[in-house]
């Protein structure tokens, strides 16, 4: 800005201008607020004025730039956060799918193998081997929809009776395992409720169901491996199944 006025006229004394040092003062020129920067050398005093509005525009521009940066940074953070959440959800979904039986939504064979190998023989737990009676006959007589109804109903009875104390696994078509790891002292009560639910059940395609089972306590004896306990429970289950068919055949013979 060319002001064509003496310094004294705008409120700056030449005595206030130091040699070889820039001095900044606020002045008013033609009714406009300005900043005046002055410097003295051996022969001259140089004065440069800039309207405050220029600084204001610069400040607004700086605010806009910072604001835009913050918006971009926020968007980037939200994108990264959503990406992390999506990856976590996909991972949890994959884990759930790989460990869940598609039909019954209980744990599957993969989950069973993982969990059974993590059990300790020096800790008390209960292994229950279960098997539906007459599933093949139901499938042949009423169709697979009836068989699926029977399988899902069996799992529901197991979950409602034992989920509070352990896990329910479907390890085959009509083969199930329940592992009780909590509140062992309440097992008899849970087993009674399970048998009661089985006896009271009536379905859409099938009127009733029966399940053979055998269970073994890990504390019964000194086992070599968890699979020895599983075999012992299977043996007791098959003995129960054989007894069921004997009693049924005897009843039908009358």
């Amino acid at each position: 800005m060319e002001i064509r006025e003496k310094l004294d006229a705008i409120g700056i004394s030449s005595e206030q201008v130091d040699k070889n040092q820039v001095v900044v003062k606020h002045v008013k020129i033609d009714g406009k607020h300005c900043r005046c920067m002055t410097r003295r050398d051996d022969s001259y005093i140089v004065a440069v004025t800039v309207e405050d509005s220029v600084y204001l525009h610069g400040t607004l521009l700086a605010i806009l730039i910072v604001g835009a940066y913050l918006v971009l940074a926020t968007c980037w953070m939200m994108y990264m956060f959503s990406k992390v959440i999506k990856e976590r959800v996909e991972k949890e979904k994959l884990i759930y799918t790989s460990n869940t039986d598609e039909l019954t939504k209980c744990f599957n064979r993969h989950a069973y193998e993982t969990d059974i190998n993590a059990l300790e023989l020096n800790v008390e737990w209960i292994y229950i081997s279960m098997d539906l009676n007459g599933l093949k006959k139901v499938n042949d007589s009423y169709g697979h929809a009836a068989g699926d109804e029977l399988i899902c109903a069996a799992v529901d009875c197991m979950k409602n009776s034992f989920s509070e104390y352990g896990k329910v696994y479907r390890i085959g078509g009509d083969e199930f395992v329940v592992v009780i790891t909590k509140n062992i002292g309440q097992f008899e009560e849970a087993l009674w409720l399970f048998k009661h639910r089985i006896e009271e059940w009536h379905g859409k395609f099938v009127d009733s169901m029966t399940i053979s089972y055998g269970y073994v306590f890990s504390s019964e004896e000194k086992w070599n491996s968890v699979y020895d306990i599983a075999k012992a429970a299977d043996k007791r289950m098959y003995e129960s199944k054989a007894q069921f068919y004997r009693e049924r055949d005897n009843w039908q013979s009358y």
Side-chain angles (χ1 to χ4, degrees), residues 3-252:
I3 59 177
R4 296 179 180 277
E5 294 188 28
K6 294 182 178 181
L7 292 176
D8 292 339
I10 61 174
I12 299 176
S13 172
S14 59
E15 296 177 355
Q16 297 176 326
V17 182
D18 297 329
K19 186 177 180 180
N20 297 323
Q21 184 176 353
V22 176
V23 177
V24 180
K25 292 196 64 176
H26 290 276
V27 297
K28 192 172 184 180
I29 302 174
D30 295 334
K32 298 178 181 179
H33 293 279
C34 304
R35 295 187 185 190
C36 182
M37 292 163 282
T38 59
R39 179 172 178 171
R40 180 198 295 269
D41 60 15
D42 293 334
S43 303
Y44 301 95
I45 295 177
V46 179
V48 178
T49 60
V50 180
E51 290 185 30
D52 281 349
S53 61
V54 175
Y55 285 93
L56 179 60
H57 292 156
T59 302
L60 290 175
L61 179 61
I63 292 174
L64 288 174
I65 292 174
V66 172
Y69 172 79
L70 290 175
V71 170
L72 290 174
T74 301
C75 291
W76 175 254
M77 291 176 63
M78 290 179 64
Y79 166 75
M80 294 302 296
F81 180 73
S82 64
K83 186 176 180 181
V84 170
I85 293 298
K86 183 179 180 181
E87 290 176 353
R88 182 177 297 175
V89 169
E90 290 296 329
K91 183 178 180 180
E92 290 177 353
K93 183 179 179 181
L94 180 62
I95 294 174
Y96 174 81
T97 303
S98 65
N99 289 290
T100 304
D101 179 65
E102 185 176 358
L103 176 63
T104 64
K105 308 308 177 187
C106 70
F107 291 102
N108 61 13
R109 183 72 185 233
H110 177 267
Y112 166 79
E113 294 292 346
T114 300
D115 292 345
I116 199 72
N117 283 295
L119 292 172
E120 299 179 7
L121 295 175
N122 59 345
V123 177
E124 187 172 40
W125 43 273
I126 307 170
Y127 185 105
I128 313 173
S129 178
M130 297 192 179
D131 197 289
L132 270 168
N133 295 323
L135 179 63
K136 184 178 184 304
K137 184 177 180 180
V138 169
N139 282 330
D140 294 341
S141 302
Y142 306 105
H144 287 281
D148 289 347
E149 177 187 55
L150 206 59
I151 291 171
C152 291
V155 169
D156 287 341
C157 290
M158 294 175 197
K159 283 183 176 180
N160 291 333
S161 304
F162 301 114
S163 288
E164 184 180 349
Y165 311 104
K167 293 182 178 181
V168 177
Y169 307 88
R170 184 187 181 197
I171 62 172
D174 58 353
E175 301 173 17
F176 308 91
V177 169
V178 178
V179 178
I180 305 296
T181 56
K182 297 177 290 185
N183 300 322
I184 305 298
Q186 299 179 29
F187 171 64
E188 293 295 337
E189 179 183 351
L191 185 61
W192 182 88
L193 289 173
F194 171 69
K195 291 188 289 185
H196 179 71
R197 288 187 172 103
I198 293 296
E199 292 170 357
E200 294 296 316
W201 179 84
H202 301 284
K204 178 181 178 181
F205 300 105
V206 186
D207 184 59
S208 63
M209 70 172 162
T210 60
I211 297 177
S212 297
Y213 61 87
Y215 59 87
V216 175
F217 285 76
S218 63
S219 58
E220 284 186 26
E221 60 181 84
K222 189 173 182 179
W223 308 92
N224 293 322
S225 72
V226 294
Y227 289 100
D228 288 338
I229 297 177
K231 290 177 182 177
D234 285 343
K235 181 180 178 182
R236 293 176 185 179
M237 182 272 295
Y238 285 119
E239 290 172 352
S240 172
K241 182 178 284 288
Q243 181 178 354
F244 164 79
Y245 284 119
R246 282 196 302 270
E247 292 176 353
R248 186 198 64 177
D249 293 342
N250 289 336
W251 180 81
Q252 290 177 348

